[in-house]
Amino acid sequence: MAWQWFHRLGSPRWFYQKTGAWLPWLALASVILLTVGSVWGLGFAPQDAKQGNSYRIIYIHVPASFLALAGYYIMAISGAIGLIWKMKLSFAVMRAAAPIGAVLTVIALFTGAVWGKPTWGTYWVWDARITSMLILLFLYIGVIALARAFSREQVADKACALLALVGTVNIPIIYKSVDWWFTLHQPATIKLTQSSSIDPSMFYPLLTMIIGFYCMYAWSLIAHTRTLVLQREWRTQWVQQELSGMETQGKGGK
Amino acid sequence: MSSAESLSMAGRNHGGPSLAALLRVELLLALRKRADIANPLLFFVTVLALLPLGVGPEPDLLARLAPGMIWVMALLATLLSQESLFRSDFEDGSLEQQALSSQPLYFAVLIKAAVHWLVTGLPLALLSPMLGLMLNLPAAGYFCLLVSLLLGTASMSLIGAVGAALTVALRRPGLLLALIVMPLYVPVLIFGTGAVQAAIDGYVFGPQLAILAALLAAAAALAPLAAAGAIRISLDN
């Protein structure tokens, strides 16, 4: 019986009906956490001794970077679950995770560039972390492009899952090699001011933002997956019922 | 002649194709397509000949760019030739036969990648010292360039096989193949150029070559596995 929930999760219908109730709560939690975190971080956290106010972009940059990387693993793991247990739902999660992760990677790169201008004096540096993030973006784009290339969804799902898994094996190697490459080429003019310890007055708003980003990620992943589930299962009876239910509700509202 | 026909001819007497027979057949097929062997090499030479036209003929500048440019162009030449790795076998159905046969698909992929390296990576590596000469590569770099390319192109043939297998069912996979495979080439490129640069600067380059060899070992063990899985997915299409 311990596996029952796992088998249930394989049913798109169960997922769709169960998660509908979670969405408003997740949305509420992320709005509250992100509002509190950004007001706290941008308005009330103390200035950085070296960077002044410009460091405050950390409150968006760091959570986005966290989730950009975590999102790749979420995508790859759900792809693996789909390949192993032939679960339709987990392929939908994988496909939904790809564009979200790519957007988060772009946000991380963009905020990094904006932060780099006042701190390093230039928008783009071939720093190890930036370069790794750029390659991560290419990995995401590869998965998205591969998904679009196939006309049959089932084949696209499996191919993307395999590519995501191959990417997962490679990510640690890529990170290590880029690190090594950077230490070899390190330009002398740029110094990364990465303090090992961060003051609690700066850390708590950051933590709030990170949790808020996780909530937002979960919200958008579930919302996107639900849309994909509806698209894929639109022929089934339960989707027809759901949709007609929505229509009558909409009419009643007017 | 497709591989399936040649395979059945080569393996009939032994009651099934052995790996050596498969290798012989693949090599024979590869060697018959002269243009497919020549094109990557010509691409390699032509693009590198364009480099001085683009950046200017100053020997110092070319010497600085040489290791990186030769490596990047070898990478592109390998990548572009990879599109056809499984193509003809997929189109005439012999890939499906191989997937169904009792021989593990793993070894078939390994052998195809090995043959691809023999007709693409090996000549590219052997040609690289000449291009180094044209681009004024410092003398200390030649040996390392040759060895690093020998190891690196083999890894790239194996990694590219995964991408080729994933895209074999698509009509025009060229750019997509490049898109999905290039990020996976990054470690090989970094350690390859790193080794040559270290050799030029007079440092030890053994560790980098050892890492390249380790990457090759890992790729030889894992890439055919992923490529075999990808072939089975592509055959579903």
Side-chain angles (χ1 to χ4, degrees):
Chain A
M1 286 305 113
W3 284 90
Q4 205 177 9
W5 63 272
F6 191 70
H7 291 303
R8 267 204 198 137
L9 214 59
S11 146
R13 180 183 180 178
W14 185 86
F15 174 84
Y16 186 86
Q17 288 167 349
K18 208 72 183 167
T19 52
W22 303 353
L23 280 181
W25 294 105
L26 276 171
L28 190 71
S30 47
V31 166
I32 291 175
L33 284 168
L34 291 179
T35 313
V36 170
S38 38
V39 170
W40 191 1
L42 299 182
F44 295 98
Q47 277 195 13
D48 187 78
K50 284 184 201 144
Q51 300 181 30
N53 278 322
S54 70
Y55 92 95
R56 290 183 198 279
I57 203 161
I58 197 176
Y59 293 113
I60 294 170
H61 179 71
V62 168
S65 318
F66 266 25
L67 271 164
L69 188 58
Y72 195 89
Y73 284 100
I74 290 171
M75 180 176 79
I77 290 169
S78 42
I81 292 175
L83 277 184
I84 296 166
W85 285 286
K86 315 241 180 289
M87 252 190 219
K88 280 192 277 183
L89 178 67
S90 77
F91 282 131
V93 174
M94 174 195 76
R95 294 284 289 275
I100 301 173
V103 168
L104 282 166
T105 315
V106 170
I107 292 175
L109 281 171
F110 177 78
T111 51
V114 172
W115 193 8
K117 186 65 184 168
T119 318
W120 302 332
T122 167
Y123 284 112
W124 187 265
V125 193
W126 289 96
D127 157 66
R129 290 186 197 196
I130 300 177
T131 314
S132 310
M133 278 314 260
L134 187 66
I135 294 164
L136 183 68
L137 179 65
F138 292 155
L139 286 172
Y140 271 124
I141 291 175
V143 172
I144 296 170
L146 188 67
R148 300 236 163 133
F150 287 97
S151 50
R152 280 184 55 198
E153 290 288 320
Q154 290 100 320
V155 183
D157 284 345
K158 286 188 204 158
C160 287
L162 194 106
L163 182 62
L165 280 177
V166 173
T168 314
V169 174
N170 273 278
I171 281 182
I173 304 175
I174 292 174
Y175 269 56
K176 274 286 147 212
S177 59
V178 170
D179 242 8
W180 181 84
W181 165 80
F182 178 66
T183 47
L184 195 78
H185 288 253
Q186 185 164 26
T189 47
I190 289 149
K191 232 167 78 187
L192 279 172
T193 47
Q194 288 294 337
S195 47
S196 55
S197 61
I198 176 167
D199 193 75
S201 60
M202 293 178 180
F203 177 68
Y204 287 125
L206 182 61
L207 192 67
T208 318
M209 285 300 276
I210 290 173
I211 301 171
F213 259 75
Y214 265 94
C215 287
M216 190 181 69
Y217 182 85
W219 174 77
S220 53
L221 185 66
I222 290 174
H224 197 160
T225 308
R226 282 164 60 88
T227 322
L228 285 180
V229 163
L230 283 188
Q231 262 176 14
R232 290 170 173 216
E233 308 276 316
W234 70 274
R235 280 195 191 86
T236 59
Q237 209 182 352
W238 72 266
V239 172
Q240 301 290 342
Q241 278 171 359
E242 290 283 342
L243 291 180
S244 60
M246 259 183 223
E247 238 166 53
T248 49
Q249 261 184 0
K251 274 173 194 162
K254 278 176 198 168
Chain B
M1 197 193 300
S2 73
S3 339
E5 290 163 43
S6 345
L7 261 183
S8 60
M9 279 169 59
R12 189 155 291 157
N13 299 334
H14 311 284
S18 67
L19 293 179
L22 189 60
L23 181 64
R24 233 188 59 218
V25 168
E26 288 292 336
L27 204 56
L28 200 66
L29 285 170
L31 289 176
R32 280 191 186 154
K33 288 181 242 162
R34 294 263 162 78
D36 282 4
I37 302 178
N39 284 349
L41 293 173
L42 291 172
F43 171 85
F44 187 51
V45 176
T46 317
V47 179
L48 279 173
L50 288 180
L51 174 71
L53 300 178
V55 301
E58 292 89 10
D60 290 346
L61 180 65
L62 288 180
R64 267 208 40 76
L65 291 177
M69 286 311 287
I70 292 175
W71 250 94
V72 170
M73 291 313 150
L75 184 153
L76 285 178
T78 313
L79 185 64
L80 290 174
S81 63
Q82 209 117 44
E83 194 190 334
S84 56
L85 188 58
F86 300 112
R87 171 81 31 202
S88 65
D89 279 350
F90 177 78
E91 279 168 357
D92 68 9
S94 27
L95 199 61
E96 200 157 4
Q97 295 298 319
Q98 281 175 4
L100 289 171
S101 80
S102 55
Q103 294 281 330
L105 197 50
Y106 179 96
F107 289 110
V109 174
L110 191 64
I111 282 171
K112 275 183 207 291
V115 169
H116 178 259
W117 176 76
L118 280 176
V119 298
T120 316
L122 182 64
L124 279 177
L126 293 178
L127 202 63
S128 64
M130 188 192 87
L131 289 160
L133 204 69
M134 287 165 71
L135 293 181
N136 196 28
L137 184 78
Y142 285 92
F143 172 71
C144 188
L145 180 70
L146 181 65
V147 178
S148 68
L149 274 176
L150 282 175
L151 292 168
T153 48
S155 299
M156 292 194 288
S157 284
L158 285 157
I159 298 168
V162 182
L166 276 173
T167 54
V168 72
L170 302 171
R171 218 166 293 146
R172 294 189 175 276
L175 285 173
L176 180 66
L177 176 64
L179 207 59
I180 64 178
V181 168
M182 262 198 230
L184 306 176
Y185 280 172
V186 166
V188 180
L189 177 68
I190 286 177
F191 286 106
T193 48
V196 182
Q197 199 58 55
I200 291 171
D201 295 344
Y203 297 113
V204 288
F205 52 87
Q208 283 93 315
L209 291 183
I211 291 174
L212 273 181
L215 289 176
L216 174 59
L222 295 174
L225 206 64
I231 287 174
R232 290 189 198 283
I233 292 170
S234 289
L235 288 173
D236 269 357
N237 197 10

